[in-house]
Amino acid sequence: MEKQTTETLTGAQIVVRLLERQGVRTLSGIPGGAILPIYDAMSQSTLIHHVLARHEQGAGFIAQGMARATGIPAVCMASSGPGATNLLTAIADAKLDSIPLVAITGQVARAMIGTDAFQEVDTYGLTIPITKHNFLVNSAEELLEVIPRAFRLAASGRPGPVLVDIPKDVQNQAIEVAEWPAIGVADPIPAPAPELIARAAAMINEAERPILYLGGGVVHSGASGLAVALAEKAGLPTVMTLMALGAMPVDHALSLGMLGMHGARCTNLALDECDLLIAVGARFDDRATGKVAAFCPQAKIIHIDIDPSELDKIKAAHVGIAGDVAAVLKMLSPEVESHLRKRWLTHVNGLKAAHPLRTPGIDDARTHYGLIRAVADCLDDEAAIATDVGQHQMWVAQAYPLRRPRQWLTSGGLGTMGFGLPAAIGAALAEPERTVVCFTGDGSILMNIQEFATAAEEGANVKIVLMNNATLGLVYQQQTMFYGERIYASKFKGQPDFIKVAEGFGLATVDLDKESDPRAALAEALSMRGPVLIHASIDRQQQVLPMVAPGAANKDMIGG
Amino acid sequence: MNATSQAENQALARAVLELDVNNHAGVMSHVVGLFSRRAYNVEGILVMPVGDGTKSRIWLLVNEDARLEQMVKQVEKLEDVLAVRRHGADHRVFERLEEFFR
């Protein structure tokens, strides 16, 4: 605690001051009765820019976009009751993708808790399973401890969301504040055990067919450069999860791109043959592994993760190392022998040549892959790429040349449609110098389309590329492939005029369907400042291929 | 199978977890929520404050199955859980309570 002159402050003023001291300069939320004291205090802040979302889920994902782009905990706010319940999806999404988020909610006054008061809901109880930790604050005094602690917890170890529920009377309670607590920063992480590092190094040195398997933890830990260096030194073909895309440039000679359900054939086939799998900050998610018993059946496993509960959770590791992956890789690399690994790499390159990712139409901007490539051709690696959830997400994951950690913002674990637009707005607000592209679909965009208003109001530099097939594409694809082509509830019979809708919200628009030179129109739209909707119709019959049927082994891919 | 060996079987299949936790409203919810979300039944629960009352001790009687190790790791991750110790089913804490459940 540092000494200051004593001030009399309300709980609400304390919250705002603590956020300012924490370095929060932008946050997103929606006010309402039970959080009005905090909003009133925030109105006096000259440091905090409040971004008014149009739905609390939007506020949650705007904060997520900021946190994903920067790695720094971001803040969202909502009132009690429906405000809090609307935040839940964004909080759960942050939990599954390990995104540092501090959610602050208003609650009815303590005396009214448990009486079914107006807009009362058990926010604390609702958020237990979807947060790293949560608080129901009992006094203004407690805020001095809880707010910094929330930031510390969100950022420490495996990052994640923390919720602070603050009753209205606590926000109004005035107390004397003589000292301010230190800001919340991530706890140091215990160093990994040297004997485990030595064993892992020996296994890598002895392996004939090793593969490096990178997960989102590599991005969170800032370990991308270390991972690439290890791969290069030891001659390790490298696969990435959806969350790790960008950790190794996808056009790196050792990159096999994304593994799993929609990975290239060569990627899953190489994994099937490997004798050592080095999992780094990855959690063996079912979309990555397919049928677990058949995943890397010949491989010994080294598993490095900051969260000890991930070790042996899905697959038993021969060596499990709990620790920050950057720290582990720093210790591991010097002990790993330089290895050209000619035979294995030649074989993997043979697989790549024989079974590459097939991207039909990639040179035609009017196809799904071609549109993605055309967007990439207009941009450099400084651009950030957000997606919604569905076919477009998988196509972008497969075909966009991601080369930079934190370039890629996508909802992996929870797979939340509606994620893309607000997350892109958040990323654009956190890093205004970047162009942020949001690839979306006609299903996803409607789930948070109200945030067009926020994008317009903030002048956020987001380019929304709407790939419109008038279908819930992944559902349509699964019904086609696995449900006897009984297409049900997945084709939209009516659709809004998305161009008019976007214009109505104040966005610039381009309809590529009506452009004779779609590449030129795209280049112009992407170079405009501020929010732009870029609409393109795509063919409903196109599928995301290859595909591993849910529950099947990764080597049994369909198509592609 | 006679009655004794049945009881022995049951004893073998159970474990007792001893948790040191912070004592405030909600800690119990955090702990049991980890079990209930996995459809993992908690057979017995005992909680009392210890020392000055800022800490509590929770005793859980659970069925021993393949998930128990993961459960213990998950419980250890909870912010309000300070320590977890694992005992066999022969631990006396629940045994002594049996007379209250006759």
Side-chain angles (χ1 to χ4, degrees):
Chain A
M1 293 261 181
E2 61 183 81
K3 285 275 175 195
Q4 309 269 322
T5 38
T6 301
E7 295 172 88
T8 304
L9 296 169
T10 64
Q13 289 170 319
I14 290 168
V15 170
V16 172
R17 194 75 70 84
L18 288 168
L19 293 178
E20 289 175 345
R21 291 172 60 88
Q22 188 68 39
V24 174
R25 293 298 174 265
T26 306
L27 62 81
S28 188
I30 302 188
I35 199 167
L36 274 177
I38 288 176
Y39 270 77
D40 190 41
M42 201 153 50
S43 74
Q44 302 306 306
S45 172
T46 54
L47 295 175
I48 294 176
H49 170 55
H50 177 265
V51 175
L52 180 61
R54 294 330 197 243
H55 183 291
E56 287 84 356
Q57 190 187 110
F61 283 132
I62 287 170
Q64 269 216 38
M66 294 193 283
R68 286 178 189 249
T70 63
I72 300 164
V75 179
C76 55
M77 278 188 186
S79 194
S80 63
T85 55
N86 280 346
L87 270 185
L88 296 180
T89 301
I91 295 172
D93 188 280
K95 178 76 164 20
L96 277 169
D97 284 349
S98 306
I99 305 302
L101 193 73
V102 174
I104 296 174
T105 48
Q107 182 55 277
V108 302
R110 281 173 300 168
M112 296 171 81
I113 288 179
T115 66
D116 296 335
F118 178 64
Q119 293 193 331
E120 184 197 353
V121 76
D122 177 11
T123 305
Y124 181 86
L126 284 168
T127 52
I128 286 175
I130 58 168
T131 53
K132 255 185 101 171
H133 194 57
N134 58 357
F135 299 93
L136 173 56
V137 181
N138 237 311
S139 66
E141 191 73 39
E142 254 181 56
L143 288 166
L144 291 164
E145 191 240 324
V146 165
I147 300 287
R149 198 163 151 217
F151 282 90
R152 173 169 71 76
L153 289 170
S156 292
R158 180 179 185 169
V162 177
L163 178 127
V164 184
D165 196 30
I166 312 175
K168 193 172 183 180
D169 60 316
V170 171
Q171 298 173 43
N172 285 326
Q173 183 190 1
I175 60 166
E176 301 270 300
V177 181
E179 303 174 293
W180 290 96
I183 64 167
V185 295
D187 291 330
I189 296 149
E195 65 276 13
L196 293 176
I197 303 275
R199 275 174 60 198
M203 283 168 75
I204 296 170
N205 293 338
E206 283 160 21
E208 287 183 10
R209 302 183 306 280
I211 286 184
L212 186 60
Y213 158 39
L214 305 180
V218 174
V219 175
H220 296 318
S221 173
S224 302
L226 291 162
V228 172
L230 174 68
E232 288 171 348
K233 184 178 185 190
L236 305 173
T238 301
V239 302
M240 287 170 273
T241 67
L242 181 69
M243 295 308 298
L245 293 177
M248 174 184 270
V250 76
D251 42 8
H252 191 287
L254 289 167
S255 171
L256 279 162
M258 181 172 71
L259 80 159
M261 183 175 271
H262 296 298
R265 278 188 173 264
C266 55
T267 311
N268 288 332
L269 292 174
L271 283 161
D272 200 55
E273 291 183 33
C274 74
D275 67 350
L276 176 67
L277 185 70
I278 308 148
V280 185
R283 59 181 176 86
F284 294 82
D285 173 76
D286 54 271
R287 288 308 195 249
T289 64
K291 185 180 176 186
V292 175
F295 180 63
C296 303
Q298 312 169 44
K300 288 189 173 169
I301 290 170
I302 298 170
H303 193 177
I304 303 165
D305 204 286
I306 200 163
D307 179 352
S309 74
E310 286 301 339
L311 306 177
D312 303 331
K313 183 182 87 174
I314 303 291
K315 216 149 158 93
H318 298 77
V319 176
I321 305 175
D324 172 37
V325 296
V328 174
L329 292 177
K330 254 181 223 160
M331 287 171 71
L332 183 62
S333 273
E335 295 196 38
V336 170
E337 291 160 8
S338 290
H339 205 318
L340 292 177
R341 225 176 286 277
K342 277 189 188 155
R343 196 161 49 158
W344 175 229
L345 289 179
T346 304
H347 180 71
V348 169
N349 286 335
L351 287 175
K352 277 165 113 167
H355 308 284
L357 183 75
R358 297 195 195 284
T359 51
I362 195 145
D363 295 320
D364 175 1
R366 296 199 193 277
T367 71
H368 53 297
Y369 282 127
L371 177 59
I372 292 161
R373 174 57 60 87
V375 170
D377 287 345
C378 296
L379 299 167
D380 61 20
D381 296 345
E382 292 309 305
I385 308 300
T387 73
D388 255 304
V389 168
Q391 285 185 313
H392 71 273
Q393 177 192 28
M394 291 298 115
W395 286 324
V396 177
Q398 290 176 327
Y400 197 95
L402 297 162
R403 298 195 185 92
R404 175 175 69 80
R406 300 202 179 279
Q407 183 182 12
W408 171 240
L409 293 78
T410 202
S411 168
L414 197 65
T416 312
M417 293 171 70
F419 167 92
L421 173 61
I425 293 169
L429 293 170
E431 300 186 319
E433 71 284 3
R434 291 193 197 281
T435 297
V436 182
V437 177
C438 170
F439 285 96
T440 185
D442 53 292
S444 286
I445 192 68
L446 282 172
M447 293 207 183
N448 269 321
I449 200 161
Q450 76 287 344
E451 301 310 327
F452 274 170
T454 313
E457 190 169 283
E458 295 292 327
N461 198 23
V462 294
K463 317 299 160 196
I464 301 124
V465 179
L466 171 51
M467 300 171 75
N468 184 356
N469 58 4
T471 303
L472 293 167
L474 270 186
V475 174
Y476 185 89
Q477 175 171 340
Q478 288 218 24
Q479 288 174 338
T480 303
M481 294 172 100
F482 308 124
Y483 292 87
E485 298 185 44
R486 289 181 298 281
I487 305 303
Y488 186 73
S490 58
K491 275 200 304 199
F492 293 119
K493 294 179 194 116
Q495 268 203 312
D497 181 334
F498 288 106
I499 294 290
K500 278 190 187 161
V501 169
E503 281 171 1
F505 275 103
L507 270 64
T509 59
V510 177
D511 190 350
L512 293 185
D513 296 355
K514 301 205 169 105
E515 298 290 336
S516 55
D517 184 349
R519 283 176 177 275
L522 197 55
E524 196 194 330
L526 291 170
S527 64
M528 281 192 253
R529 188 79 198 165
V532 183
L533 176 76
I534 300 161
H535 175 269
S537 295
I538 58 163
D539 175 11
R540 165 181 291 157
Q541 300 308 329
Q542 297 304 319
Q543 297 183 328
V544 185
L545 296 172
M547 177 165 190
V548 178
N554 275 356
K555 70 172 172 17
D556 299 325
M557 288 159 279
I558 301 165
Chain B
M1 196 184 279
N2 64 36
T4 318
S5 72
Q6 250 176 9
E8 275 170 5
N9 250 355
Q10 202 165 19
L12 280 175
R14 290 207 166 166
V16 171
L17 301 180
E18 179 186 4
L19 282 58
D20 295 334
V21 301
N22 291 323
N23 180 17
H24 68 78
V27 177
M28 198 62 175
S29 274
H30 278 102
V31 172
V32 297
L34 289 178
F35 287 85
S36 61
R37 70 171 284 200
R38 291 171 173 84
Y40 196 139
N41 194 40
V42 177
E43 302 291 328
I45 303 176
L46 270 176
V47 201
M48 289 285 277
V50 290
D52 63 359
T54 61
K55 309 269 184 286
S56 290
R57 187 162 301 144
I58 301 178
W59 296 91
L60 300 177
L61 179 66
V62 296
N63 285 324
E64 175 107 51
D65 79 22
R67 296 171 298 172
L68 188 56
E69 202 161 325
Q70 175 65 205
M71 286 311 313
V72 170
K73 287 182 181 177
Q74 292 292 338
V75 173
E76 284 172 339
K77 270 167 64 170
L78 292 175
E79 181 64 14
D80 283 316
V81 172
L82 310 168
V84 181
R85 288 176 292 276
R86 194 168 154 176
H87 305 282
D90 53 348
H91 197 280
R92 286 162 57 225
V93 65
F94 285 101
E95 222 170 76
R96 287 178 165 187
L97 279 173
E98 274 175 14
E99 62 181 282
F100 293 98
F101 291 87
R102 282 190 192 126

